Structures are given as C-alpha cells and as structure tokens.
Amino acid sequence: MAEVIGVKFKEAGKVYFFDPAGHKIQRDQKVIVETVRGIECGTCATPNTDVSDEDIVKPLKSIIRPAGEEDIKTLAENREKEQQAYKIAKAKIEQSGLNMSLVDVEYTFDGSKVLFFYTAPERVDFRELVKTFASIFKVRIELRQIGVRDEARMLGGLGPCGRALCCKEFLHEFQPVSIKMAKEQGLSLNTAKISGTCGRLMCCLKYEQESYEYLLKHTPKIGAIVETGDGRGEVVDNNLLTGMLKVKLDRHPEAAPSAFHRRDVRLIKDAQIRVNKAELEALREIEDN
C-alpha cells in the first residue's frame, strides 16, 4: 500500500497518482508537480488515500509543493497569455493559408513552452508556421493535431440530450464506440439521432452498453420464436428497458401483435442482431475507428 493523491490537469481529464510528500492535500487544492511536459499546476481530485501497489504506475513521483499565492498568480497570468496567443496564432494561420483550424492554446506552468492544438482534414506542413510562432512568442513551440472528439472536449457545449457534453463533464478517457452498440440498444440508425456534436457516435452508447448487454441476455430479440400463454409466435418488437414484447402469434397471423412481458414467455429460439453491410457503409463516417 502507498499513500497517494489524485491530480488532474483538465476539468474532465484523467486522474494521475502522486506521492503527497508528507503534505495533507484537500480536494480542489492546487499542487505543483513534475510531468513529462515539465512543471505543471494540477488540481487535487482525490485527497490523501492509500492504494495498492498494483494500482500505481511506478516510479511514483512526488508533488513539488502545494500551490502558493505566487503559483496561483502565475497560473492566472498564463491564462491571460493564452488568450492573447490564441488571437495572434489564429490570425497568422489565416494569413498562411494552411488548411487547419486552431482549437486551443496552452502555456506550460513555467512558461517555457506553448502548445497549439488544431484540427485538420489532412497532414499539414507547418514548419514555416512554427518558425513564425517562435519569433513572436520567444519560447518553445509545439503544434499538436487533435481529433474531433478532443476538439469537442476542449470547446465544450451541449449534447443532443440538452446536458453538458459528457467528455467535458466527467469522461476521463474516450472509448471506441460502434454502430453495433446503437443497433443492440434498439436505436434508430439515423445519423442525427446517434451522433454527438463532434459528428461521431455518442459516447453514452459505450458506457450504457454493459446494461444493454445484460438486458439482451434476458430479453428475446426481434425475430425470436417464443411460447406464450396464447401459443407460439414470433417477436416483432421489444423494449429492453420495460421488458415488454410484441408477439405475432402463429394461430392468428393476420391479427395485430399481442403484448407480453419477457417473464411471461418461454424462449424457443432466439434471433441475432446484425448490422448489414449497407447500414455499416452508410454510417461509417460517424463510427469511431
């Protein structure tokens, strides 16, 4: 076991463990730490706690110090410099004619490097742009291309559900999302209904998938053959959340389907959920490959 604190560097970023070095750190308190990017100021997401050695990526680095008044002042000054750098960089990119879109600008805590995050439909030769930025900002320059999901996380916004984007609020890492998940969850394969503001499949399809997989094991699928109190029939519709089924009975093929709860039927032969090639090709551009 080891005593650690959890530190994050973005609002919804991943939490990293650090040795508190004898300090008692409170939640939301700022701390100064050393990372692969250099000296950074992070926010305590998990106060002092003991974790098993298996959960630690070794070697475990110690925090340098709890952030003081001067550190908080430096952090505020960096935020101001980032806003100015964004305006300057955006103008220079437009002048260069490069096919790229600036998303965000970030100064390292010690001010030794500035990172420019951008999106682009293809590879960009930005060597001249780096030289221009270096002559203006007089620090190390790094241009980093990001994907549309990362862009949505940085910019924030509202999802189709009307709530703040999950990636901005609480998702620490992106997980692959597939068309098959949408199909298994009974959603209409309509791009507008299953894609987020980033244009890719909604992240909630992934973290809700485990619940749907459990329900699918206990609910006859569409096309399944079941035995009901009124005879045998075929499931033509199902609601995984309520457990209600619509069954077309063999002895009344022309009648409207009858409603049954999944616990009131016996499964004879289940069906399979498949995404056909045409559906897959039509929605390929929004799938997170």
Side-chain angles (χ1 to χ4, degrees), residues 93-106:
I93 289 173
E94 291 175 354
Q95 292 175 14
S96 71
L98 293 173
N99 188 16
M100 58 190 291
S101 177
L102 185 65
V103 177
D104 198 14
V105 177
E106 224 178 80

Side-chain angles (χ1 to χ4, degrees), residues 147-153 158 160 165 167 174 195-203 285-286:
V148 290
R149 287 189 183 276
D150 289 301
E151 180 183 16
R153 168 179 278 178
L158 299 178
L165 298 181
C167 57
F174 291 117
S195 58
T197 57
C198 61
R200 295 290 188 269
L201 288 168
M202 295 185 293
C203 291
E285 63 180 16
I286 67 170

